[in-house]
């Protein structure tokens, strides 16, 4: 097949598709131009159009049904870092799934699936674990009452802290604090 040349509207330099029929090259160009138009409006539609264009450029292969299912991809490294930093900076506040998706520049549903792939846990579970770790840090490094620590961790009250702390660690915050205090005193004596 001869090489086809296509000029994108915003790029005066022709793009050469080698070994692609002219009709296929035109269809790929059309799909990519439509995808560019949707990037800001609806990135899921844009991604779908780009996948269609990509599939037209791939050689036809026979694939098993397992290979036909789209692989669930995780977050890009920059997205992981931005989400982690956002959570750490805002741990004292309420953080919604929509907020985290916006930080990663993804739709909420796609972000949720990609997050689970990257972190091996749901965004909510990860956030709860981070809040418990922050509570542990505060209990070890201050004499603040648990009600204050709960608020510092973005939780409603001390009872809320106790419920999630026990679910994650298997013990209550006050019991954990006493135990760690005892361990610290023993270490200081030894």
């Amino acid at each position: 097949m001869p090489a086809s040349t296509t000029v994108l509207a915003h790029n005066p330099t022709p793009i050469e598709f080698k070994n692609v029929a002219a009709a296929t090259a035109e269809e790929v160009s059309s799909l990519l131009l439509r995808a560019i138009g949707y990037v800001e409006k609806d990135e899921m539609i844009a991604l779908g159009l780009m996948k269609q264009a990509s599939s037209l450029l791939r050689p036809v292969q026979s694939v098993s049904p397992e290979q036909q299912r789209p692989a669930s991809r995780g977050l890009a490294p920059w997205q992981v870092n931005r989400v982690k930093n956002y959570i750490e900076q805002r741990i004292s506040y309420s953080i919604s799934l929509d907020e985290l998706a916006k930080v990663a520049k993804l739709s909420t549903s796609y972000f949720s699936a990609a997050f689970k792939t990257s972190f091996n846990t749901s965004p909510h579970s990860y956030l709860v674990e981070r809040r418990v770790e922050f509570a542990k840090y505060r209990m070890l490094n201050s004499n603040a009452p648990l009600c204050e620590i709960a608020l510092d961790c973005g939780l409603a009250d001390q009872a809320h802290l106790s419920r999630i702390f026990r679910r994650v660690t298997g013990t209550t915050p006050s019991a954990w604090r006493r135990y760690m205090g005892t361990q610290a005193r023993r270490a200081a004596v030894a």
Side-chain angles (χ1 to χ4, degrees):
M1 281 182 234
S4 296
T5 303
T6 302
V7 178
L8 296 176
H10 68 286
N11 185 358
T13 309
I15 297 174
E16 190 172 310
F17 295 100
K18 296 181 181 185
N19 300 323
V20 175
T24 303
E26 288 299 320
E27 189 173 354
V28 168
S29 294
S30 172
L31 288 167
L32 291 175
L33 285 172
R34 286 177 52 208
I36 289 168
Y38 276 105
V39 167
E40 294 295 321
K41 297 174 200 163
D42 189 339
E43 62 188 26
M44 292 307 292
I45 292 175
L47 284 172
L49 291 168
M50 286 187 263
K51 285 179 182 177
Q52 277 183 286
S54 175
S55 69
L56 290 173
L57 295 174
R58 270 191 223 125
V60 177
Q61 302 172 0
S62 63
V63 291
S64 66
E66 293 87 26
Q67 293 172 322
Q68 288 179 350
R69 278 187 252 133
S72 178
R73 295 197 177 156
L75 299 171
W78 69 267
Q79 290 169 316
V80 168
N81 290 334
R82 281 185 73 174
V83 168
K84 280 182 174 179
N85 289 337
Y86 186 83
I87 289 171
E88 296 306 316
Q89 290 170 359
R90 297 195 38 90
I91 199 78
S92 297
Y93 304 99
S94 175
I95 301 172
S96 72
L97 186 60
D98 289 337
E99 284 178 72
L100 294 176
K102 284 179 186 171
V103 167
K105 299 186 183 229
L106 296 171
S107 70
T108 304
S109 60
Y110 188 85
F111 169 77
S112 186
F115 186 98
K116 189 160 184 151
T117 299
S118 294
F119 288 84
N120 293 321
T121 189
S122 70
H124 176 74
S125 295
Y126 178 81
L127 186 55
V128 166
E129 288 171 13
R130 294 307 309 141
R131 290 187 195 282
V132 168
E133 288 304 312
F134 186 62
K136 287 178 179 179
Y137 172 81
R138 291 278 287 132
M139 285 187 279
L140 288 176
N141 295 297
S142 76
N143 291 323
L146 291 178
C147 59
E148 181 181 315
I149 292 173
L151 295 175
D152 288 346
C153 294
L155 302 171
D157 53 24
Q158 184 176 341
H160 189 198
L161 172 63
S162 293
R163 272 193 315 276
I164 70 158
F165 197 94
R166 182 176 213 131
R167 189 178 344 133
V168 171
T169 66
T171 188
T172 64
S174 54
W176 186 88
R177 189 181 226 180
R178 276 192 307 275
Y179 175 77
M180 295 307 287
T182 304
Q183 293 298 91
R185 284 190 295 279
R186 284 184 186 163
V189 171

